[in-house]
């Protein structure tokens, strides 16, 4: 039997995307899947689908704070969140970061996984900015990119090719029915199947005939 293609649409502004990303990274060599990272732009999806950030509702924001902490502990991902982080999200655009990640995906895809992870670490563990060029370059160096590659990718983020690629990926997610991120799409039995959120990975495994071994399988 061939490997099941699983696409992960994500944005580094989303802590739930980080949780789903890390778990799928752990399972990509355990399950019979071909995991494909699809960096998109959450802001574009929210705008085009009419969705609203869940933390805009005070009671839901109160719950999300507890929920993310519990899930971070369960999944063993170093998300460090406080009530102030919701305001940080509202006042931070991930567009430049996601264009940068897209540029790397187009030119040096072997760095896509560590680069994405370093953006999450910087924003969600270290509470540092990810929107300014100098901070983006710092993240790139932390991910192992040379100064030359880092600078070249930064210059690419304003190019039509990168902008179009990010837009196309975001549109692809919405064509599958995504209204937020993370959006996981399993291509199974000739059809795409959408699983929304980082708490549906056990269900994803069951659906494609794979066994869930816990959040951090050894």
């Amino acid at each position: 039997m061939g490997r099941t293609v699983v696409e992960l649409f994500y944005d580094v502004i989303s802590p739930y995307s980080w949780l789903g990303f890390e778990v799928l990274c752990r399972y990509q060599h355990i399950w019979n899947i071909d995991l494909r990272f699809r960096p998109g732009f959450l802001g574009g999806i929210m705008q085009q689908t009419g969705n609203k950030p869940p933390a805009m509702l005070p009671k839901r924001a109160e719950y999300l704070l507890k929920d993310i902490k519990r899930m971070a502990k369960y999944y063993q991902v170093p998300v460090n969140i406080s009530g102030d982080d919701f305001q940080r999200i509202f006042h931070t655009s991930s567009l430049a970061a996601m264009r940068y990640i897209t540029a790397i995906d187009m030119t040096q895809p072997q760095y896509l996984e560590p680069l994405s992870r370093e953006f999450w670490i910087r924003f969600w563990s270290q509470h540092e900015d990810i929107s300014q060029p100098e901070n983006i370059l710092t993240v790139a160096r932390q991910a192992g990119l040379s100064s030359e590659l880092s600078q070249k990718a930064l210059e690419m983020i304003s190019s039509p090719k990168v902008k179009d690629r990010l837009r196309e990926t975001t549109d692809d997610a919405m064509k599958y029915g995504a209204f937020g991120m993370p959006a996981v799409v399993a291509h199974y039995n000739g059809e795409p199947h959408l699983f929304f959120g980082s708490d549906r990975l056990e269900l994803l495994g069951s659906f494609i005939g794979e066994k869930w071994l816990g959040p951090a399988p050894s």
Side-chain angles (χ1 to χ4, degrees), residues 126-141:
Q126 300 171 347
H127 291 192
E128 298 289 343
D129 181 72
I130 59 170
S131 63
Q132 299 304 310
E134 61 272 19
N135 296 322
I136 290 174
L137 290 175
T138 298
V139 171
R141 287 193 294 270

